Amino acid sequence: MTRLLDELKVEPGSSPQLGSRDPGARLGAADKTEGLERLAQLVERLAVLHNRLFAEASRSVLLVLQGMDTAGKDGTIRSVFTGVNPQGCRVKSFKAPTETELAHDYLWRIHSECPARGEIVIFDRSHYEDVVAVRVRKLAGKKVWQRRYEHIRGFERMLTDEGTSVVKVFLHVSKDEQRARLQERLENPEKRWKFRTGDLEDRALWDEFRPAYEDTLRETSTDWAPWYVVPADHNWSRNLLVAEILVGALEQLDPKLPEPQAGVESMQIA
Ligand code: AMP
Ligand code: MG
């Protein structure tokens, strides 16, 4: 497993080479049945580790999810976090910045949503929109978005130094699979609400998003906060791999339950 995770990782200083990574790869288990069994185990393990992290209340975890529309950020969150106690876990979705947010620096809204000690916070989009979407949609000039790589490396370094593990996952979906998923959104009445015509504008910019992500992942995969590229055309494999990455990070933290009060282990309640 460690070897697989190493393959998904973008080595600091190197290019992610998205073109040579197959979004359709089914990794992590021999087949879907085995994959779902393994995921169920990881979901249970995540609940235990999260409980310890929460009880320890000294460190925290930030999971950053990025990807093109339909890459499956929502689905990943739903499936990986099903067993996690909502107390001590939070999802934050970042949309286009509001007027108030735009009146501040781009990390202002991000920093205020970072996890408190004991918490896991999931970012559904993040400060990475400020180097990717902003670049592709030309919301700021090159001079502005380019210097942000350095800010972001420093910001994540600070978070790490102060006790937050930063786990970053790029959900890598193919253009073909995106077409199928957008079509499915249109046709399925339960999913139609998710469809935005703006999604088509981003889809038309696919060839611009690609180099923007390529540069961003290379510039911001660091020893303290590396990127993982997860193939996202198959939901079961995508969910399984994100769970592996997250549980791996928590195992490494090895959170400890606080010591019980002295003498309580032999007490009998009358
Ligand atoms: P969704 O996640 O599909 O609900 O869409 C949210 C939209 O907000 C996406 O189109 C993002 O690109 C956009 N967005 C999020 N953060 C920013 C940002 N900092 N600057 C520009 N657009 C953003
Ligand atoms: Mg969307």
Side-chain angles (χ1 to χ4, degrees), residues 109-154:
R109 67 173 186 162
I110 304 294
H111 196 188
S112 67
E113 295 291 348
C114 284
R117 299 183 199 289
E119 264 191 325
I120 297 182
V121 169
I122 305 137
F123 278 1
D124 162 12
R125 304 188 188 273
S126 64
H127 42 304
Y128 286 99
E129 296 293 320
D130 294 287
V131 280
V132 174
V134 161
R135 165 176 169 178
V136 172
R137 299 192 198 120
K138 300 190 166 50
L139 302 174
K142 184 171 182 179
K143 222 176 122 188
V144 171
W145 56 256
Q146 205 161 38
R147 65 190 177 203
R148 290 181 174 173
Y149 297 135
E150 194 181 343
H151 305 160
I152 290 173
R153 288 191 295 262

Side-chain angles (χ1 to χ4, degrees), residues 68 131-133 135-138 175 201-216:
M68 298 294 286
V131 280
V132 174
R135 165 176 169 178
V136 172
R137 299 192 198 120
K138 300 190 166 50
K175 198 175 176 187
E201 287 162 25
D202 278 358
R203 180 168 167 77
L205 291 169
W206 188 276
D207 292 341
E208 272 102 301
F209 271 102
R210 174 52 71 95
Y213 267 117
E214 189 84 29
D215 291 349
T216 298

Side-chain angles (χ1 to χ4, degrees), residues 219-266:
E219 290 285 340
T220 60
S221 201
T222 53
D223 289 326
W224 55 91
W227 274 104
Y228 292 88
V229 177
V230 165
D233 279 3
H234 297 282
N235 296 352
W236 71 263
S237 176
R238 176 199 69 204
N239 298 341
L240 173 60
L241 293 170
V242 175
E244 292 281 7
I245 292 165
L246 184 65
V247 168
L250 274 154
E251 296 284 9
Q252 218 173 347
L253 274 184
D254 191 21
K256 298 276 194 294
L257 294 171
E259 283 297 317
Q261 237 181 299
V264 293
E265 60 276 15
S266 55

